[in-house]
Amino acid sequence: MRRALPLIALMTISAPALSQTKVAPMKYPTTRTVPQVDEQFGVKVADPYRWLENDVRTDQEVAAWVASENAVTNAYLATLPGRDIFKARLKELLDYERFGVPVHKGSRYFYSRNAGLQNQAVLYVRDTLQGEGRVLIDPNGWSKDGATALAEWVPSEDGAKLLYTVQDGGTDWRTVKVLDVATGKVAADTIEWVKFSNLAWAKDGSGFYYSRFAAPAEGAKFQALNENQKVYFHKLGTQQSADTLIYATPDAPKRSHQVQVTDDGKWLVITTTEGTDNRYEITVIDLKAPTLSPRTIVKGLENEWSLAGNVGGNFFWSTNKDAPRGKIVMMNLYARSAEPPITELVPEDKSVLEGAAIVGGKLLVEYLADVKSEVRRYTLEGKPDGVVALPGIGSASGFSGDADKSETFFAFTSFATPTTIYRYDVATGETTTWAAPKVAFDPAQYDVAQRFYASKDGTRIPMFVVKRKDVTGPAPTLLYAYGGFNISVTPSFSATRLAWLEQGGVLAVANIRGGGEYGKAWHDGGRLANKQNVFDDFIGAGEYLKKEGIMSKDGLAIQGGSNGGLLVGAVTNQRPDLFAAALPAVGVMDMLRFDRFTAGRYWVDDYGYPAKEADFRTLYTYSPYHNVKSGKAYPAILVATADTDDRVVPGHSFKYTAALQAADIGDRPHLARIETRAGHGSGKPTDKVIEEAADNWAFAAKWTGLVVKPVR
């Protein structure tokens, strides 16, 4: 058993105000400019670093620029006194057993497990609930650098076979394989060019359904637009070229399709979307019919529809149609009418409906109430049937299972509660611990509080504030938010953030608009023409932390990734005086060209279309790359991206970094940290996670005045 390491009380000592500290100017690499000017709607838009959009793997000049940027960044990071302390402590904190939520198929239980510092989680199987687990797939030997990951996996209905995908270097592309569970032998079946796809077994195990794109042109794998996704069926033992095309929309190439098979094996359900805004069409195919004829039962890409399960032709859905916070309805596919009739079962509530599933003959419905999980039970007629008691205030997820079996599993976590796996019996209502981690920290030493503050327009915004209980005065603070795509940022445990907290730093997580914390209206309030609300909410969080004496003077660092990277870039341009350090990661930094690469075209639901004048004018006002303002003192900035990020292509961060380094924005460092053999985040090996977190925290500590000491 791993021995828990006691924490010593570390009092925070603030450095002198950085505005009064003399900083030696950085010497950055020279970045070539080009006379690229595009005129859009009468506006001349300069893009002097357009050439940095080129793929680093095929353009030698871009590769040389990346190498020179990393050389400067690495030399600077090596001077930070807290870097080695953070790295050593992060190795200790991450060295704990972590489990995923198990999946029960046939007589077997499948689950992921990381022993601690393994670069990639390993897939295990048990033959019984309490049986001894054995290794089924260990991806840690797939590559020397640990950057090849086991991504999605799905056991067949009888538990005899397993579909799994290989993710190399962090890319979104997947290669699908088939494994025999009893023997561990990998079949010859190989499926390529799969991205953003569900995998769904036929119930008889004869094959599976999946979605794929056409193979991109030579050299365009990591930059080409993803269009014309199609659904196929692969029969085991055959070549991919023989796969049957099940569904496609060639007249609407921007549409993407996810596929699932109902528990009874009778229906194929295809969910179609054009973007990220959870507006779907639903098409079903009766798999028992003589011919496979698609029937669209929800048309128009107007609302969210998520299948909870079915009983024969009665389909149960969670939807926000006429219910911005969600409701549960039943749809009768056997009714003799042009459109299936809909019956409301569970009406809209003041809490936000997050998901639902039929397990053991009951509806288990997940809600979010002021950013905290609740799970309620209902009969299939929609009558309340009690609740699932959770271990505390935090986030619960899972609850999948079979309609006729009473067993399900869920994960629970909070800021000071490592993710624990529970088994829940629907028939008895009993909850038991299935896997509980042991982490080298004492949760009793930490305080988690939810606060509310007013944004610029008076909107009430929730924010979690986490710190050691003995930190009672102003302290260096890390502020995080996301603010987009209807994604809710709920309480969760992070061993990497714990390394910041135990040094006496404060963590603040703001639930700003653009997310899904309060339903559709909360999302709509932070997208398209309302995007400035997201930035105002985040700036308001910083102002609140300052006014309430939570953060120390000139002691606020901000962090965000992907859409959150855009957030950090935009607010840094708008309020550089408020922040001491900024950590934008894999951010969308050029808001006028994001829709030209890979998955970028999906994001128009949140951002708008750069080619439409009204959207262009909104985007141009906040695009981080286009709004770097010379003549203002900026915070220290560490931009993070990766060469194999084919979600938000690294050219965004390259161009933004070049603009920062060319501008007269003060002498604090404005650097780029560019990973190799890494992508947007998923599949990142543990050693890279440790190195990245150590660099981020050491950089933030330097510029917020956090004094870092070894933890004994």
Side-chain angles (χ1 to χ4, degrees), residues 184-515:
K185 184 178 179 180
V186 179
D189 303 65
T190 300
I191 306 298
E192 301 283 3
W193 306 117
V194 175
K195 181 189 279 194
F196 311 138
S197 174
N198 285 358
L199 303 173
W201 280 101
K203 290 300 175 181
D204 62 3
S206 61
F208 57 89
Y209 301 88
Y210 67 97
S211 306
R212 61 159 290 190
F213 295 98
E218 183 70 25
K221 178 179 179 180
F222 297 105
Q223 290 197 315
L225 272 176
N226 302 140
E227 294 187 318
N228 282 305
Q229 191 181 43
K230 301 175 182 179
V231 176
Y232 287 88
F233 177 75
H234 175 78
K235 183 179 180 180
L236 294 186
T238 65
Q239 297 293 316
Q240 183 174 4
S241 57
D243 289 356
T244 303
L245 177 63
I246 299 297
Y247 190 75
T249 52
D251 56 334
K254 292 185 178 180
R255 294 194 171 190
S256 297
H257 315 288
Q258 299 290 304
V259 63
Q260 63 189 115
V261 176
T262 56
D263 282 346
D264 58 13
K266 179 174 174 55
W267 303 92
L268 191 69
V269 181
I270 300 168
T271 301
T272 297
T273 185
E274 277 194 4
T276 56
D277 193 27
N278 297 353
R279 292 183 291 114
Y280 304 135
E281 279 195 350
I282 304 296
T283 300
V284 297
I285 297 175
D286 186 344
L287 296 175
K288 304 299 183 183
T291 58
L292 301 182
S293 301
R295 174 191 176 194
T296 299
I297 57 174
V298 175
K299 302 177 182 180
L301 296 174
E302 295 178 354
N303 299 106
E304 181 175 358
W305 295 86
S306 180
L307 184 64
N310 73 299
V311 178
N314 289 327
F315 277 52
F316 297 77
W317 305 89
S318 59
T319 180
N320 63 2
K321 178 177 172 58
D322 303 321
R325 297 193 182 206
K327 64 182 179 181
I328 305 291
V329 301
M330 184 182 70
M331 181 186 295
N332 183 358
L333 266 60
Y334 288 150
R336 301 192 175 203
S337 57
E339 294 185 358
I342 294 174
T343 303
E344 181 178 282
L345 297 179
V346 181
E348 183 180 22
D349 188 85
K350 63 180 181 179
S351 299
V352 177
L353 195 157
E354 289 280 280
I358 299 177
V359 182
K362 303 288 184 181
L363 277 166
L364 301 183
V365 186
E366 301 172 56
Y367 285 94
L368 205 58
D370 274 335
V371 205
K372 300 176 287 288
S373 287
E374 295 179 354
V375 182
R376 307 173 194 169
R377 296 167 47 122
Y378 293 88
T379 69
L380 297 187
E381 294 72 39
K383 296 180 180 179
D385 190 52
V387 300
V388 177
L390 299 179
I393 294 174
S395 305
S397 59
F399 299 101
S400 63
D402 295 329
D404 58 351
K405 296 179 182 177
S406 65
E407 179 185 67
T408 186
F409 295 86
F410 68 94
F412 181 83
T413 183
S414 192
F415 291 108
T417 305
T419 301
T420 302
I421 310 300
Y422 295 91
R423 179 181 183 272
Y424 179 71
D425 189 311
V426 175
T428 65
E430 181 183 12
T431 300
T432 54
T433 301
W434 190 78
K438 297 178 177 63
V439 187
F441 90 111
D442 179 6
Q445 293 189 13
Y446 292 86
D447 177 69
V448 180
Q450 187 178 40
R451 297 175 176 238
F452 293 84
Y453 65 92
S455 187
K456 183 177 180 179
D457 63 359
T459 300
R460 186 172 179 257
I461 311 293
M463 177 167 60
F464 291 100
V465 177
V466 188
K467 60 183 178 178
R468 282 205 337 256
K469 289 180 178 178
D470 63 328
V471 177
T472 57
T477 299
L478 177 70
L479 172 62
Y480 173 88
Y482 186 78
F485 298 100
N486 200 38
I487 293 173
S488 302
V489 181
T490 60
S492 63
F493 179 77
S494 166
T496 55
R497 285 175 173 172
L498 184 60
W500 173 268
L501 288 165
E502 67 179 10
Q503 290 290 344
V506 176
L507 170 67
V509 178
N511 298 106
I512 59 180
R513 281 173 284 185

Side-chain angles (χ1 to χ4, degrees), residues 573-600:
N573 286 333
Q574 294 181 13
R575 284 294 308 276
D577 59 298
L578 186 57
F579 315 117
L583 304 170
V586 293
V588 188
M589 299 306 197
D590 184 343
M591 300 310 298
L592 304 185
R593 290 175 61 79
F594 70 85
D595 60 340
R596 298 169 184 251
F597 302 96
T598 61

